[in-house]
């Protein structure tokens, strides 16, 4: 898709509003086009999550020979690892750096990818006064793109903040695999996951042939409800951590277990979660893994600094207002 052909937001919304049956046909067509364009030298990225499980199910219905690739970062739930092991024709990769090394060298993933990188730039890059002021306070054009007020304390935090962990422990092993095998990726990304992924989909559509590393995202115009409905209708097995998929009286599909898997220690979005948040749930369900994240990886100090509860019996922090970074006590 060229710059002239860049999709508009309204076009994406039209695609997202299509019936699931039509979406399945369109997605299969994109997969076929991708497979044929690269003479079958493709693979699909498999994380064990629900999106990549749908992707795997669709691809194998067309081309059973296509391999899946799983990056075992050492930071997944044990149930996720067991679920991936049950699948056939999955290639396992490992990153060169351990996650603890990434956190210590570059920083922790806080807020979201854009915010984490903006914080890193403000702390370490030689920015112009105009750009720095824009990131912190906005300008005459408005405040779009500025970092939120709550995150200003991260500028003087006793730990680093960065968005590079995913690049180091997940994307880099896949890049090496692509280079060594000549295979190009198909991923289960959807545009409604984040603004970054939406913008990427608007720019390239499902099949990005013109990228430095070509990538297909044939589920790009699917919604969360589409994913759950497909799994429900086709009785596709999912990781046990998700629980069951149930259909409510309003026709909406929902999970009875965890809403997301991914890296256990990831802090992206946790500041928006209610009680119990992901780390509080983890302490109850996976106490050893919780200790690993809090103590070994050092996530505890980040959560304390941001006043985010992380114990299953704690609902909030208490104490007088304090300076950024001052430790405060928790209700227990």
């Amino acid at each position: 898709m060229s710059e002239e052909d860049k999709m508009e937001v309204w076009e994406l919304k039209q695609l997202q509003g299509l019936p699931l049956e039509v979406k399945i046909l369109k997605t299969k067509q994109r997969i076929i086009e991708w497979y044929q364009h690269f003479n079958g030298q493709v693979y699909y990225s498999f994380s064990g999550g629900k999106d990549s499980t749908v992707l795997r199910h669709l691809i194998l219905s067309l081309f059973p020979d296509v391999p899946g690739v799983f990056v075992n970062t050492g930071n997944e739930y044990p149930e996720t690892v067991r679920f991936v092991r049950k699948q056939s024709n999955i290639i396992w990769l490992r990153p060169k750096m351990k996650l603890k090394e990434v956190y210590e060298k570059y920083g922790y993933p806080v807020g979201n990818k854009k915010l984490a990188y903006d914080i890193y730039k403000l702390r370490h890059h030689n920015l112009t006064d105009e750009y720095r002021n824009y990131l912190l306070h906005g300008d005459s054009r408005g405040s779009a793109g500025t970092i939120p007020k709550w995150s200003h304390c991260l500028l003087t935090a006793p730990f680093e903040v960065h968005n590079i962990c995913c690049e180091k422990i997940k994307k880099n092993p896949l890049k090496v695999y692509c280079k060594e095998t000549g295979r190009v990726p198909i991923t289960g990304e959807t545009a409604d996951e984040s603004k970054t992924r939406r913008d990427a989909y608007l720019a390239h559509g499902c099949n990005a042939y013109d990228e430095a590393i070509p990538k297909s995202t044939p589920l790009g115009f699917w919604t969360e409800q589409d994913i759950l409905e497909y799994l429900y209708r086709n009785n596709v097995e999912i990781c046990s951590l998700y629980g069951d998929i149930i259909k409510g009286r309003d026709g909406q599909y929902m999970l009875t277990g965890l809403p997301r898997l991914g890296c256990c220690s990831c802090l992206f979005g946790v500041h928006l979660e209610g009680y119990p948040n992901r780390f509080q749930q983890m302490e109850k369900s996976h106490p050893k893994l919780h200790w690993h994240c809090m103590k070994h990886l050092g996530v505890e100090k980040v959560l304390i600094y941001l006043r985010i509860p992380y114990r299953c019996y704690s609902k909030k922090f208490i104490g007088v207002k304090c300076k950024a970074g001052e430790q405060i006590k928790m209700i227990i």
Side-chain angles (χ1 to χ4, degrees), residues 47-48 70 72 74-86 92 239-241 258 261-264 282 285-290 292-293:
S47 67
F70 172 67
N72 185 12
N75 195 41
E76 286 82 25
Y77 285 97
E79 290 89 345
T80 302
V81 175
R82 287 197 291 269
F83 178 69
V84 175
R85 288 192 188 282
K86 291 174 63 177
W92 289 57
C239 180
S240 60
L241 287 170
L258 295 182
L261 303 185
C263 289
C264 298
M282 186 193 298
S285 62
H286 299 78
K288 291 183 179 179
L289 188 58
H290 185 269
H292 173 80
C293 292

Side-chain angles (χ1 to χ4, degrees), residues 199-216:
D199 291 346
Y201 185 80
L202 291 175
H204 303 287
C206 288
N207 291 344
Y209 296 103
D210 56 346
E211 287 288 271
I213 298 180
K215 182 173 72 172
S216 174

Side-chain angles (χ1 to χ4, degrees), residues 1 26 31 52 55 107 126 135 148 166 175 194 245 286 296 320-321 324 328-329:
M1 183 181 290
K26 284 184 172 292
I31 294 170
S52 65
L55 180 68
N126 186 23
L135 287 177
C166 187
K175 288 178 182 178
S194 67
I245 300 174
H286 299 78
H296 180 70
V320 297
K321 290 184 178 179
I328 47 184
K329 295 180 180 179

Side-chain angles (χ1 to χ4, degrees), residues 118-150:
D118 283 345
I119 294 294
Y120 183 82
K121 288 190 294 186
L122 286 163
R123 291 181 65 157
H124 298 287
H125 288 191
N126 186 23
L127 305 178
T128 65
D129 291 341
E130 181 182 6
Y131 185 47
R132 175 177 290 274
N133 186 67
Y134 168 70
L135 287 177
L136 290 170
H137 309 295
D139 56 20
S140 59
R141 294 168 294 179
S143 59
T146 62
I147 66 172
K149 294 293 184 182
W150 69 263

